[in-house]
Amino acid sequence: MFLVRAVNNYSSNLHSIFRRVPPVKSDLRFSNLHATSSFCNVGEDINNCFCWISQRRSGSLEFAAASINLGNIGTLRNMSSEACSSKTEKKTNRLILEKSPYLLQHATNPVDWYPWSQEAFDKAKAESKLIFLCHVMEKESFENPSVAEIMNKYFVNIKVDREERPDVDKLYMSFIQATVGGGGWPMSVFLTPDLEPLAGGTYFPPEDKYGRPGFKTVLKNIAEQWRSKQASISSSGKNTIEVLKKIKERDQTDCQRIEVPGEDAWKKCLLQLSKNYESIQPPKFPQPVMFNFLFHMYSRNKKTEQGTQCLQMCLHTLTKMAYGGIHDHVNKGFARYSVDERWHVPHFEKMLYDQAQLAVSYCDAYVLTKDEFYADIVKDILTYVSRDLSHEEGGFYGAEDADSYPFEGAPHKQEGAFCVWEYDEICNLLDEETNGVSHAEVIVYHYDVKKEGNVKPSQDPHGELRNKNVLACFGSYENTADKFQISVESLKNILEKSHSVLYEARQGRPKPDKDTKIVTLWNGLMISAFARSGFVLKDQSYINRAIQAANFIRKYLYDEQDKTLQRCCYRGDDGQIVKAPTPVFGFLDDYAFLIRGLLDLYEASLDADWLQWAETLQEQQDAKFWDSKGSGYFTSPEGDASILIRGKEDQDGAEPSGNSVSVHNLIRLAAYLDREDLRDKAGRTLTAFSDRLNSIPIALPEMVSALMFYHNSPTQVFIAGQTEDNNTQALLDVVRSRFMPGRILAIADGPGGRAGLLYRRHESLSRLRPIQGKPAAYVCRNFACSLPVTEPDDLATSLDDGNGIKRSEDAE
């Protein structure tokens, strides 16, 4: 959607500081070169920025960066799964004892891999070896016995699942960005036995080519320098950590006083975003944090041209995505991103966090427009997640891979093989007609299916999609209905029947692998999606699904005794839930995202138990992650000796940052529970990020939205009455049909009812009572309430945010 060409200021600051670091007496040193394309989607992994090592005279090493588009970047995620499917028995390494699907893929490498563990650190110290920390490159390097021999001889080799240990990933990625001027994934870093970074990059070719050294040459050179100049190189590592620490300290804001940015921040955010709206430069990533911000801006300026522009930008992009190939029209759900400018050809991997956030975005679009088109997409996403990314007990899996075998017995996987179609295949499968209209002809026209395939060679660098079609509509339902002279309703029936036939055909193909890791933060996002969708669409089954997921987290990923969360668990071979040998405790994002999910679940279910749990988790989050000196929240908890620097995420991207979500949560909890200390923390967090909010707010659109909440107290809607009363439900229907960002909703059903917690916190709540025995709604700000109303029309008048907005159908 929004492709933002903006260098991360923080990374640039780090790099500029490194330029002033005096060189140590070692030939292993850092380059001052910047990446030739040191920009990326704000919030997206910098997947297109790769670097290589170039050898300099006298054997020293310099790291330079370049933008190299490898095409199907995301396939690196599970690229080793083919090796794991081999029937040939292979020797395994220590990763065989792990539960992470990603780590298990590398368990048969000849490399003597360790997980991130004290055992590996102790070995490096005992044998005085450098640590090689890495993510991927397996097919080219780590399956190569000659490469593995060098790695095993000279290094202690560690693999990290970045989704299990985001703190490790972010720490060393900041080093890569500081020394190279850009970064990306996969990440490879050489560390001292004390875990201090020395050198690194993202991609190393296996052999010497084109005048550049290959991975084996790099390994040997670094090993030799460590052998001959260990003392000076160790000093370099310590110096690096000290500089990074000083940068962190320098960037901290003194938050003794609360100095929250004002409206200039959201005005600048909108300006920066508008300049990059629907950039034609691919790849294009959905960024729901931008939708959240724009919808919020519209709600503040509904009657202005600027407000209308905000709304139409959202509706236009959401519509094009829904019609496009990034949306899986047959199996449902959305792919990770589009490799082209029209949302046509996706990278076919599907991530849980995308499904969760997009479901909320389409929900918001539906509330604002009352257009069933958007409600249908919400149902589509939730159907996919319930069917394909759900554990039997309620947890949600992390992802579905992009690659699969094109046919049973195929030697290699291909990206998109499970999803794409040949022209003749569609025509042979769809042999039905409705009132003389051929279903095959409708599908061919509606989805731009061509005999030679509809994927351009430039969108298919590896030739995996030759003669294939990705189903994507570049018109609309109305256009196709006009073409065949049928009603839109009739067209939708034909599409639905055809999708069912194609779905059954696809189930006969080899299926892509699933990442069955169940991550707390992503499950928190999905709980929000089901809860909010259930409330808006008035579908209790969705709310029940959110409740089931919350209970799953409580059962498997929450310790009732010490009130703490764990990061993740896994689906075992027989379906049972298993955990890693050394459990990873929850990070900031796990707490913040689950708290948001529980707050949304409270408003959907009106069961105060979820609100109580949210408060308990917030108190734990404050105890474990709050920065008492600089304010805001650290990513990782205190006390992990392997994390040399505790960082703070300062960017909203594929997911919002934990700090941004926390500000929302703090404001909502403060309003619900009459806790001024929580609102104070929200203000201090906004102050801690004030430089970022004032200079490049587009990097933090979710926090900018929270900033608007902070300046404008959330609307509180209290309905005095019993939940089951039809008149109460009629008042709730008015609330569910209005778009009110940050709204606080509660049922005031008496101290002994479901809202008992609220009555214990707010003395004023006892004054909110039914009127003459009829449920009454009170609209309040800071518990200063309007006169009560008992009729839905009267409540609608006070909450009205404008209706009748139409879906954007204008062409790209």
Side-chain angles (χ1 to χ4, degrees), residues 621-668:
Q621 177 183 314
D622 294 344
K624 291 178 177 296
F625 303 98
W626 180 253
D627 179 0
S628 58
K629 180 180 179 181
S631 293
Y633 293 95
F634 290 113
T635 297
S636 56
E638 191 174 9
D640 187 341
S642 70
I643 301 301
L644 304 184
I645 303 174
R646 296 170 75 198
K648 296 176 188 174
E649 185 61 56
D650 62 353
Q651 186 166 293
D652 296 323
E655 310 150 25
S657 74
N659 274 286
S660 296
V661 173
S662 293
V663 177
H664 284 267
N665 293 343
L666 290 165
I667 295 170
R668 293 172 75 182

Side-chain angles (χ1 to χ4, degrees), residues 151-345:
M151 294 175 67
N152 295 339
K153 182 177 180 180
Y154 296 112
F155 301 93
V156 174
N157 303 290
I158 296 179
K159 274 279 182 186
V160 172
D161 183 337
R162 64 197 292 263
E163 292 162 1
E164 280 188 340
R165 293 302 304 257
D167 52 341
V168 175
D169 181 78
K170 289 173 182 176
L171 170 60
Y172 294 111
M173 185 59 71
S174 69
F175 164 74
I176 296 293
Q177 292 170 335
T179 55
V180 179
W185 187 74
M187 176 183 68
S188 302
V189 188
F190 293 91
L191 313 177
T192 71
D194 292 322
L195 306 181
E196 298 146 345
L198 292 171
T202 55
Y203 175 74
F204 305 119
E207 303 292 343
D208 297 355
K209 285 184 180 180
Y210 311 117
R212 295 197 296 268
F215 190 41
K216 287 191 285 187
T217 300
V218 170
L219 291 170
K220 290 177 181 178
N221 284 345
I222 290 180
E224 172 57 26
Q225 291 204 41
W226 175 251
R227 185 194 65 77
S228 61
K229 301 173 182 179
Q230 181 172 327
S232 60
I233 291 175
S234 293
S235 176
S236 172
K238 295 183 187 304
N239 190 40
T240 299
I241 286 295
E242 287 307 310
V243 171
L244 288 171
K245 285 181 178 178
K246 288 178 181 178
I247 298 295
K248 295 287 187 184
E249 292 171 359
R250 186 202 68 180
D251 286 349
Q252 285 186 347
T253 302
D254 183 1
C255 292
Q256 298 306 309
R257 292 185 302 171
I258 298 178
E259 297 180 353
V260 176
E263 64 178 344
D264 286 347
W266 56 80
K267 288 181 178 178
K268 180 180 285 190
C269 186
L270 179 59
L271 179 63
Q272 291 174 342
L273 192 154
S274 299
K275 287 181 178 179
N276 295 279
Y277 169 70
E278 281 290 1
S279 167
I280 62 172
Q281 179 70 29
K284 293 173 71 169
F285 293 81
Q287 291 190 341
V289 291
M290 300 297 190
F291 297 131
N292 297 343
F293 167 74
L294 287 171
F295 280 139
H296 193 166
M297 284 293 290
Y298 167 73
S299 73
R300 296 172 57 89
N301 306 280
K302 292 187 293 290
K303 297 181 180 180
T304 68
E305 182 179 351
Q306 184 185 71
T308 300
Q309 178 191 14
C310 291
L311 178 66
Q312 291 305 319
M313 282 195 289
C314 285
L315 298 183
H316 174 82
T317 300
L318 287 169
T319 299
K320 294 303 177 184
M321 285 173 51
Y323 275 130
I326 192 174
H327 177 205
D328 188 340
H329 299 276
V330 173
N331 266 53
K332 307 184 186 301
F334 281 79
R336 179 73 281 268
Y337 61 86
S338 169
V339 304
D340 64 282
E341 70 278 6
R342 297 196 301 167
W343 301 109
H344 176 203
V345 181

Side-chain angles (χ1 to χ4, degrees), residues 344-503:
H344 176 203
V345 181
H347 168 56
F348 294 86
E349 184 179 30
K350 294 178 180 177
M351 304 300 298
L352 180 67
Y353 58 74
D354 284 324
Q355 316 309 318
Q357 293 176 92
L358 287 173
V360 171
S361 295
Y362 282 102
C363 235
D364 290 345
Y366 170 69
V367 172
L368 285 165
T369 65
K370 306 302 184 291
D371 189 334
E372 290 294 330
F373 175 88
Y374 300 113
D376 288 343
I377 302 302
V378 175
K379 297 170 187 175
D380 172 292
I381 294 170
L382 300 186
T383 296
Y384 166 70
V385 171
S386 296
R387 184 191 64 213
D388 293 343
L389 292 182
S390 290
H391 186 270
E392 301 88 318
E393 291 192 54
F396 300 109
Y397 302 140
E400 187 173 51
D401 196 13
D403 299 353
S404 60
Y405 293 102
F407 53 87
E408 294 292 346
H412 301 292
K413 291 184 177 183
Q414 295 180 4
E415 182 173 4
F418 185 67
C419 304
V420 295
W421 303 91
E422 293 184 355
Y423 176 88
D424 289 341
E425 187 179 15
I426 285 178
C427 292
N428 291 334
L429 285 168
L430 302 177
D431 56 1
E432 189 176 346
E433 292 185 354
T434 297
N435 297 326
V437 176
S438 165
H439 291 193
E441 290 181 8
V442 169
I443 292 294
V444 165
Y445 178 83
H446 187 71
Y447 290 123
D448 194 40
V449 176
K450 294 178 167 54
K451 291 183 179 180
E452 67 277 14
N454 66 7
V455 179
K456 298 176 182 178
S458 61
Q459 300 162 355
D460 181 28
H462 301 293
E464 295 174 311
L465 304 177
R466 192 175 293 118
N467 299 322
K468 305 294 185 181
N469 290 275
V470 175
L471 302 187
C473 173
F474 301 113
S476 66
Y477 290 141
E478 290 77 9
N479 292 343
T480 303
D482 289 344
K483 165 71 176 177
F484 291 94
Q485 297 184 332
I486 58 178
S487 67
V488 170
E489 183 179 359
S490 178
L491 169 67
K492 288 183 177 180
N493 288 334
I494 291 173
L495 292 175
E496 184 177 355
K497 289 180 180 179
S498 300
H499 292 161
S500 296
V501 172
L502 297 177
Y503 175 82

Side-chain angles (χ1 to χ4, degrees), residues 38-55:
S38 56
F39 57 83
C40 64
N41 291 349
V42 166
E44 196 51 52
D45 293 331
I46 312 174
N47 283 327
N48 284 346
C49 300
F50 287 78
C51 68
W52 63 77
I53 293 181
S54 58
Q55 190 172 17

Side-chain angles (χ1 to χ4, degrees), residues 488-642:
V488 170
E489 183 179 359
S490 178
L491 169 67
K492 288 183 177 180
N493 288 334
I494 291 173
L495 292 175
E496 184 177 355
K497 289 180 180 179
S498 300
H499 292 161
S500 296
V501 172
L502 297 177
Y503 175 82
E504 291 302 323
R506 271 175 62 168
Q507 301 318 296
R509 300 175 180 177
K511 294 182 179 180
D513 292 335
K514 286 187 177 68
D515 183 346
T516 56
K517 181 164 57 265
I518 300 171
V519 182
T520 300
L521 77 94
W522 295 345
N523 276 251
L525 283 173
M526 206 68 235
I527 289 169
S528 284
F530 272 100
R532 291 180 63 171
S533 299
F535 180 77
V536 166
L537 301 180
K538 205 172 182 180
D539 189 327
Q540 186 62 40
S541 69
Y542 290 156
I543 298 173
N544 291 342
R545 183 66 185 86
I547 292 172
Q548 185 187 23
N551 285 330
F552 178 95
I553 298 297
R554 191 165 225 159
K555 179 177 180 180
Y556 290 108
L557 291 167
Y558 179 65
D559 188 317
E560 290 280 2
Q561 185 170 355
D562 62 14
K563 312 300 182 188
T564 58
L565 292 170
Q566 290 187 14
R567 173 70 172 183
C568 54
C569 59
Y570 308 88
R571 186 186 191 278
D573 292 338
D574 58 356
Q576 85 281 14
I577 296 300
V578 296
K579 295 183 180 180
T582 304
V584 179
F585 292 101
F587 299 99
L588 169 63
D589 292 355
D590 298 299
Y591 283 84
F593 287 45
L594 180 56
I595 291 167
R596 170 181 276 188
L598 295 175
L599 291 175
D600 290 336
L601 183 52
Y602 167 69
E603 292 202 353
S605 67
L606 298 170
D607 184 343
D609 285 347
W610 303 119
L611 186 59
Q612 180 68 74
W613 191 18
E615 182 184 28
T616 299
L617 290 174
Q618 186 63 56
E619 290 171 347
Q620 284 295 319
Q621 177 183 314
D622 294 344
K624 291 178 177 296
F625 303 98
W626 180 253
D627 179 0
S628 58
K629 180 180 179 181
S631 293
Y633 293 95
F634 290 113
T635 297
S636 56
E638 191 174 9
D640 187 341
S642 70

